[in-house]
Amino acid sequence: MTAERSSSSLPAQAGPAGPGGPTTPYRMTVTTTLPHADALALADQCLAAWLKQEWREEPPPPEPAAPGPGAPLAERFRLGERVLLDRDGGPLDGPPPGGRYDRRRVRTPAPHGTDRLTLTVATGPTGPTWLRLEAATQPAGSGVRTPGRVPVPEVVRALLPLLDASDGPAAVPAAPRVLTAAGVDRLVDELCDPDRRMPTVVASVPAGLGTGQWLADVVGPLCDQLPGLAGLYVLDPDARTRFNVALEYHAVYGGAVRTYLPEVDPASRWDGRRHPVLARNRIEEDPRRAAALLSREPRRLAAERPLPPVLAGVPALRVPRPAPAPGSAPATSAPAHGREERERAAHPGRHEGRREHHRERPKPKALPTGAATGRATGPGQPRVSIGRLCAAPGGAGTATAPIAPVRRTGRRRAGAPGGRGGVPLTFTELMARLGEFPLLTFTGDQKAALALDELRCAGGGWARLTWDGLTALQEYAEAAVRGRAGGDFKQWCERTPAGCHRFPPRKAVRGESRTVHSHAKWKRERMLPVPECVDASRRAFMGAHLRIGGGRTAPRLHYLDDCSGSGRIYVGYIGLHLTNTRTN
């Protein structure tokens, strides 16, 4: 086992990164009343026990962090072949001062690639201790099939009871617990509390069946993928009666299981429709599918929920470059590391430590057209990523350096002339320069976009507005993959951060109308190409769109925001308005 240690300053702006591959990641964010040191000790204990059991080598105990602000300690341990443990800790970024964090990241081999587990403990000057655990899978290649979702890590099941973890007022248990009538009032208060961030899953027991038997045979296996993602309760018969009287519009009974989303309004009949019910017959028909359905919403909420301020202040992980042994080549020249850096270059938003091998970067540099994007190879030659591609192919022509945040040549002052390096005035030029947006992938047919040049009824206005939209989408994606966008793209447009390109909020549309969704032909037009890592069918509904023009022709740009999944935005269509009730 070897270790490398550094005390260099970490980047100030990046927080925990997004998922590392197409498999749906696992994310848990909880609090504990334990002091920071105690919570970290328990986390290290559970992590060490898991590593020793799985890989037969336990990491050494952590050493005290380097004193003083701005000098966090970072160290790397090799616990076996393809088994790496990174540890770092130090002060949190940003005001107010006085907070600190400690983080552990473990990379282990998997049959389909590499598993990555990141555990972060953070505490502000005041308030509780926060703990966040993320587990993701990085596939070995673009054609490798991986499991649909990352299972709940065993570390979570061991750690939750020790931490006495909570989500605001609600406990976050490792397994469902039976609730009697005496505990109903507290449960109702938890469901209605505005500080609850996680969903709460409440199961009922069918008449004539024992609570213990139903819990062991049905509810336990059904909730196996929910620890750390939701509160879990089973109502005994007396508790069910009292619960349904208190929440008449949100009742659960007959062996059904109901998921209560945050902010329950017990007096609203309409609000009752927000909280999905999984009926007993669906559970018993296909228990495995029912378990997947039940975990879908909690996983989605965990992926979309913004980081609390304390965790948002955690800087990016940067570990030292391994020192070469005397007379040997540097470890960073090994083929495995080369693959990792090519993946970094292709997917900058997925990698938490994308600057970890560069000690000093005075300022970000613009990415050359075609570098590390897997799309544009030169002027007038856009390469479209479709089918199985979710990463740029590694090869001699692929950039291998970690990518800094990109500032494109297309961002010029208002009124700047068009042409190469400025804002394009034609869609022919625009399509040729898509490589300037490294987190956007065009998957559609270029003909629809190029045909807009033939209309010429709006001069260069349509191309200019499309370029503005792509620029804003790129800047949004750069923030979203770090968990700092503060919402979806429309919300980004409504509250565009200072220094970023503003796109008119009224031209950013979240989705299509109910009429379009219910019309088979119109919906099919909006089922646009995506890589297999996004959807196995290689098609996804792209209802979100940008209004490029109005009137009879009304161009549109349709896209899929997958920043919380694959770390990219997929643009599936640029062209005239697709069919709806208003098109002529």
Side-chain angles (χ1 to χ4, degrees):
M1 177 174 61
T2 60
E4 302 90 23
R5 183 175 287 109
S6 74
S7 298
S8 55
S9 298
L10 301 184
Q13 64 179 7
T23 302
T24 304
Y26 173 91
R27 291 181 178 136
M28 176 187 76
T29 305
V30 296
T31 60
T32 177
T33 57
L34 294 175
H36 183 103
D38 293 349
L40 179 62
L42 289 173
D44 280 332
Q45 175 185 337
C46 292
L47 198 59
W50 171 70
L51 285 169
K52 186 175 181 180
Q53 177 182 357
E54 294 291 328
W55 310 105
R56 298 182 177 84
E57 187 163 3
E58 187 174 349
E63 296 184 8
L73 177 73
E75 53 189 354
R76 167 167 287 182
F77 298 92
R78 302 185 186 278
L79 305 181
E81 185 178 358
R82 295 179 60 203
V83 181
L84 292 176
L85 168 64
D86 298 329
R87 297 194 300 213
D88 74 319
L92 295 173
D93 285 347
R100 71 161 287 109
Y101 78 96
D102 287 276
R103 173 171 42 202
R104 313 294 187 243
R105 184 177 69 183
V106 181
R107 297 185 183 185
T108 56
H112 42 270
T114 301
D115 290 338
R116 185 180 68 190
L117 185 146
T118 305
L119 190 152
T120 306
V121 179
T123 309
T126 59
T129 301
W130 289 86
L131 185 140
R132 180 172 174 87
L133 188 144
E134 300 176 83
T137 297
Q138 178 65 46
S142 60
V144 176
R145 290 188 174 272
T146 59
R149 65 178 64 86
V150 175
V152 177
E154 290 302 316
V155 175
V156 170
R157 303 181 193 275
L159 191 56
L160 283 176
L162 300 177
L163 290 175
D164 195 17
S166 62
D167 167 44
V172 182
R177 60 177 181 174
V178 175
L179 200 69
T180 63
V184 168
D185 289 344
R186 180 171 180 177
L187 173 58
V188 172
D189 289 342
E190 287 181 5
L191 296 180
C192 300
D193 196 301
D195 292 333
R196 180 172 65 95
R197 292 157 47 96
M198 288 183 184
T200 298
V201 174
V202 179
S204 60
V205 180
L209 292 181
T211 302
Q213 177 187 353
W214 186 249
L215 172 61
D217 295 345
V218 178
V219 179
L222 185 68
C223 297
D224 185 63
Q225 292 301 311
L226 290 178
L229 300 175
L232 307 172
Y233 296 94
V234 180
L235 302 176
D236 72 8
D238 293 337
R240 181 195 66 229
T241 301
R242 185 166 183 173
F243 180 86
N244 290 339
V245 169
L247 294 176
E248 59 176 324
Y249 300 134
H250 302 74
V252 59
Y253 50 85
V257 176
R258 191 161 195 171
T259 301
Y260 294 90
L261 304 178
E263 300 182 10
V264 171
D265 183 355
S268 171
R269 183 188 300 271
W270 179 89
D271 181 72
R273 303 173 185 174
R274 288 198 307 122
H275 311 283
V277 178
L278 189 60
R280 176 186 178 184
N281 65 324
R282 296 197 67 184
I283 297 172
E284 294 180 328
E285 282 175 3
D286 192 340
R288 184 174 179 180
R289 175 168 174 76
L293 289 173
L294 189 63
S295 67
R296 181 182 298 171
E297 191 67 5
R299 281 186 178 256
R300 183 188 67 81
L301 291 174
E304 296 178 357
R305 188 182 305 126
L307 288 174
V310 171
L311 287 169
V314 175
L317 173 63
R318 187 172 76 181
V319 296
R321 189 188 297 264
S328 65
T332 54
S333 64
H337 184 78
R339 287 194 302 270
E340 180 180 340
E341 291 220 333
R342 285 196 297 271
E343 291 167 1
R344 282 179 200 277
H347 296 284
R350 296 187 190 175
H351 294 273
E352 177 178 304
R354 65 190 185 195
R355 299 187 190 178
E356 66 187 54
H357 296 296
H358 284 244
R359 298 286 181 91
E360 298 180 359
R361 277 189 183 270
K363 61 181 179 179
K365 297 181 179 180
L367 183 69
T369 301
T373 64
R375 288 172 293 192
T377 57
Q381 298 177 8
R383 182 189 304 162
V384 180
S385 297
I386 56 176
R388 294 179 177 269
L389 292 181
C390 285
T398 304
T400 58
I403 298 175
V406 176
R407 292 295 177 261
R408 289 154 301 287
T409 58
R411 290 183 60 190
R412 299 167 61 99
R413 69 185 186 277
R420 181 64 57 188
V423 177
L425 300 182
T426 68
F427 283 93
T428 301
E429 181 186 352
L430 183 147
M431 299 303 292
R433 293 173 57 190
L434 287 178
E436 296 181 33
F437 303 101
L439 295 186
L440 309 184
T441 300
F442 183 75
T443 63
D445 188 344
Q446 300 178 51
K447 294 179 181 178
L450 300 178
L452 296 175
D453 285 339
E454 300 177 4
L455 298 177
R456 300 194 182 279
C457 53
W462 287 351
R464 185 182 298 111
L465 187 57
T466 303
W467 186 262
D468 289 345
L470 292 169
T471 302
L473 280 170
Q474 168 66 26
E475 291 175 339
Y476 160 77
E478 290 173 359
V481 296
R482 296 183 176 95
R484 296 187 174 185
D488 61 12
F489 180 64
K490 185 173 181 65
Q491 291 171 301
W492 174 271
C493 294
E494 292 169 346
R495 302 186 300 271
T496 306
C500 291
H501 193 95
R502 186 178 183 277
F503 188 78
R506 62 186 177 82
K507 291 185 175 293
V509 183
R510 285 193 174 98
E512 297 286 10
S513 66
R514 182 177 300 179
T515 304
V516 170
H517 277 275
S518 60
H519 194 292
K521 181 179 180 295
W522 298 351
K523 183 176 181 180
R524 190 162 53 248
E525 286 183 1
R526 293 157 175 82
M527 294 295 295
L528 297 166
V530 293
E532 189 178 24
C533 67
V534 177
D535 193 287
S537 69
R538 303 186 186 180
R539 293 272 169 175
F541 182 76
M542 297 192 188
H545 60 274
L546 308 184
R547 293 171 175 158
I548 304 305
R552 185 182 182 90
T553 48
R556 295 291 187 263
L557 181 154
H558 286 258
Y559 68 92
L560 176 70
D561 180 357
D562 196 43
C563 290
S564 63
S566 61
R568 307 183 74 79
I569 290 176
Y570 298 94
V571 178
Y573 179 81
I574 301 174
L576 294 179
H577 200 310
L578 296 173
T579 311
N580 70 0
T581 55
R582 297 183 179 180
T583 52
N584 295 317

